[in-house]
Amino acid sequence: MLQIQQNVSLKNFNTFGIEVFARYFVEINHEDELVELFMDPQWFQTERLILGGGSNMLFKTDFDGLVIRVNIRGIEHRISKNEVFVAAGGGEVWNDLVNFCVAREYAGLENLSLIPGSVGASPIQNIGAYGVELKDVFYSCNAFEIATGAIKTFSKHDCRFGYRDSIFKTELKGQYIITSVKFRLSLVPDVKLHYGAIQDELAKRNITSPTIKDVSQVVSHIRVSKLPDPSTIGNAGSFFKNPVISTEEFNKVHTAFPEVVHYPAGDGFTKLAAGWLIEQCGWKGKVVGHTGTWKNQALVLVNHGGATGQEVYSLSSQIIDSVYTKFGVMLEREVNIIG
Ligand code: FAD
Ligand code: EPU
């Protein structure tokens, strides 16, 4: 039986730790409960928000609708020759899945160690870190279509993954609830070491032939050294995307600022390090009221305690303005803004 709660605090359900309330709140433990929920016209018509771990959200206001927290669990795995297909419920904790695979030497997820949040949210923005994106290991996902109550399977091609992007953020935004994700992993490790920081850390540890466990440990170590732990300092990771600009735009920035940190981003495009742009504008480690940017990573906005979502949002607007004024580059928020 579904339990719909009223006036629920979301403080412990968003990693920014912002105190806001949901008018209605329901936890979903099984696909069938989604059918039951949406059969009721009241809930079908109510404004809704799908919530996983709340690690990529900023609440500016209370949510005057129904928050649907996906808590569908379970991990299954099937070996086929040198490959292993792992399917996980949308409510599994992402890093628990990574640990499950690393412990069994199922290779592919190790570079994505310690990313907060749920399995179900991982395809939404095609999570990525340390040289790997979800799309590199994604096989398919099952999703509940709210309009019809049907479960649909999406292939990698269907999802139209891009940098911090998928069809679930664009054309199909708000229309599906991801109930499970299937990954195609390998029993023959092919470690991905091209991200400079991984190589530096392996060298420090005198590791010349790293296992996937080594990679997982090194990535976790780098992350902890750079990023604030949401259990003590509220944050949602990178607040902005790294801007991808045309070669023409890039040439202008590069001429004026030859030291600009950049990476190739496909034919005719260059990606800039937003953290560098923000730091150059003097924001790194700056405290503004209850909020600010992180001392070790200017791309991360933080809640130093008691911040409102509006305060964090205002800071993000000031940062966008100053980066635009100095570099002529428009930053885009990566975090989902609610309200
Ligand atoms: P939520 O924040 O709950 O939701 C995010 C979006 O997905 C919302 O639009 C929500 O409606 C939707 N959604 C959630 N679950 C479902 C579902 N089952 N079906 C349909 N829609 C759903 N991200 C990276 O890519 N790389 C990183 O390296 C990284 N590092 C981070 C470090 C820190 C310290 C933090 C706090 C965040 C970091 N993030 C990173 C961002 C975040 O971890 C990811 O975006 C993660 O996938 C969000 O998962 P979640 O379950 O918390 O999603
Ligand atoms: N930099 C600075 N100052 C800063 C931060 C960064 O100058 O304050 C420059 C440095 O030159 C550094 C470069 O930017 O070498 C890149 O920084 P980092 O390696 O920390 O990565 P990032 O580009 O800032 C991206 C992702 C992270 C992901 C890391 C590792 C985005 C928006 N962010 O950050 O994802 O963990 O790479 O792959 O793409 C997230 O999405 O929440 C997130 C944390």
Side-chain angles (χ1 to χ4, degrees), residues 123-319:
I124 305 288
Q125 70 157 4
N126 178 28
I127 56 169
Y130 297 95
V132 171
E133 284 187 339
L134 181 90
K135 70 171 170 51
D136 303 328
V137 285
F138 178 95
Y139 184 71
S140 65
C141 67
N142 285 348
F144 176 89
E145 187 177 27
I146 296 172
T148 63
I151 294 282
K152 186 171 169 196
T153 301
F154 288 83
S155 68
K156 185 183 338 201
H157 179 261
D158 295 334
C159 292
R160 300 213 207 125
F161 290 123
Y163 165 61
R164 294 293 188 273
D165 202 18
S166 76
I167 196 163
F168 301 109
K169 274 183 80 172
T170 52
E171 237 171 86
L172 301 183
K173 192 173 164 64
Q175 295 182 33
Y176 285 87
I177 300 175
I178 297 178
T179 53
S180 67
V181 184
K182 191 186 266 187
F183 303 87
R184 183 182 207 153
L185 305 179
S186 176
L187 294 174
V188 189
D190 170 24
V191 285
K192 307 276 185 310
L193 307 177
H194 48 286
Y195 208 92
I198 298 184
Q199 290 174 21
D200 296 347
E201 190 55 36
L202 285 169
K204 261 197 224 157
R205 297 177 184 210
N206 287 321
I207 299 174
T208 48
S209 303
T211 61
I212 63 167
K213 198 170 177 187
D214 293 326
V215 173
S216 174
Q217 283 173 353
V218 160
V219 165
S220 301
H221 174 84
I222 300 167
R223 294 184 68 92
V224 169
S225 69
K226 271 198 208 165
L227 298 169
D229 175 358
S231 66
T232 48
I233 306 263
N235 76 93
S238 302
F239 199 89
F240 305 98
K241 291 184 191 175
N242 284 327
V244 177
I245 58 175
S246 68
T247 305
E248 203 184 339
E249 282 177 276
F250 171 69
N251 288 340
K252 282 190 214 149
V253 180
H254 194 229
T255 305
F257 302 93
E259 65 287 18
V260 60
V261 180
H262 63 281
Y263 320 92
D267 245 6
F269 292 95
T270 301
K271 190 189 269 186
L272 305 183
W276 185 86
L277 299 173
I278 297 169
E279 180 171 353
Q280 296 304 307
C281 291
W283 289 107
K284 190 169 184 172
K286 206 163 179 173
V287 178
V288 184
H290 303 93
T291 177
T293 68
W294 186 234
K295 57 182 171 24
N296 301 334
Q297 220 321 348
L299 191 47
V300 177
L301 270 54
V302 297
N303 174 6
H304 285 297
T308 61
Q310 189 57 56
E311 249 182 300
V312 178
Y313 187 80
S314 301
L315 174 65
S316 73
S317 299
Q318 289 179 55
I319 291 174

